[in-house]
Amino acid sequence: MSDGYRWKALGARIREARVRAGLTQKRLAELVGVRAHTAWCWEAGRMRPQRENLVAIAHHTGTSPEQIEGRDASEAEVLREAERAFRDAIEGLPTEDIASIRNYIRFLKAERRRRERGLR
């Protein structure tokens, strides 16, 4: 590309995921542990995030690195991965902690719906 924005499509997907998650560029940068300018460069397509940053971006935006990279990952596989990770994470926790996690997930879903209604 002549404008030097080599990773423009990747940057657009990062921005889309960030906005969908209700995060500012500055807040995403803080969560990932980079400067705000670095996040701007990613979204502008000037820089490609390192793998660990891409994983962190995906984590904090509720998506997957594959989706941000524009690769086709079947939704079923993504759900299976999440289920495995969730089972591993809660293994051995007391029932009341698992109930608290379930309530937190419900809260997050309700907040996401609220934000989406507010954006329309």
Side-chain angles (χ1 to χ4, degrees):
M1 297 180 128
S2 61
D3 62 5
Y5 290 48
R6 183 174 175 186
W7 295 285
K8 210 172 207 174
L10 175 65
R13 287 189 297 273
I14 292 170
R15 181 182 188 284
E16 180 182 313
R18 174 184 60 76
V19 169
R20 202 174 331 113
L23 299 171
T24 63
Q25 238 177 32
K26 181 180 178 183
R27 181 63 183 141
L28 180 62
E30 290 169 354
L31 292 168
V32 174
V34 297
R35 295 178 341 163
H37 180 73
T38 301
W40 177 86
C41 287
W42 292 337
E43 289 188 15
R46 289 191 167 225
M47 286 177 25
R48 178 180 179 79
Q50 294 178 351
R51 181 69 186 165
E52 63 269 16
N53 291 333
L54 186 64
V55 169
I57 292 165
H59 170 76
H60 292 294
T61 59
T63 188
S64 72
E66 294 77 18
Q67 288 172 315
I68 291 176
E69 288 180 322
R71 289 192 256 143
D72 286 332
S74 75
E75 189 172 351
E77 181 55 31
V78 170
L79 288 174
R80 280 192 296 275
E81 270 183 44
E83 288 170 351
R84 281 190 300 267
F86 187 76
R87 275 194 306 275
D88 290 345
I90 65 169
E91 188 176 323
L93 288 177
T95 306
E96 61 268 16
D97 289 350
I98 294 171
S100 294
I101 292 167
R102 190 176 317 125
N103 289 336
Y104 183 66
I105 291 169
R106 288 181 182 138
F107 166 78
L108 289 176
K109 288 174 78 174
E111 284 298 302
R112 178 173 296 274
R113 284 191 301 270
R114 185 188 59 76
R115 276 196 316 268
E116 288 173 353
R117 281 193 299 267
L119 293 176
R120 291 182 188 162

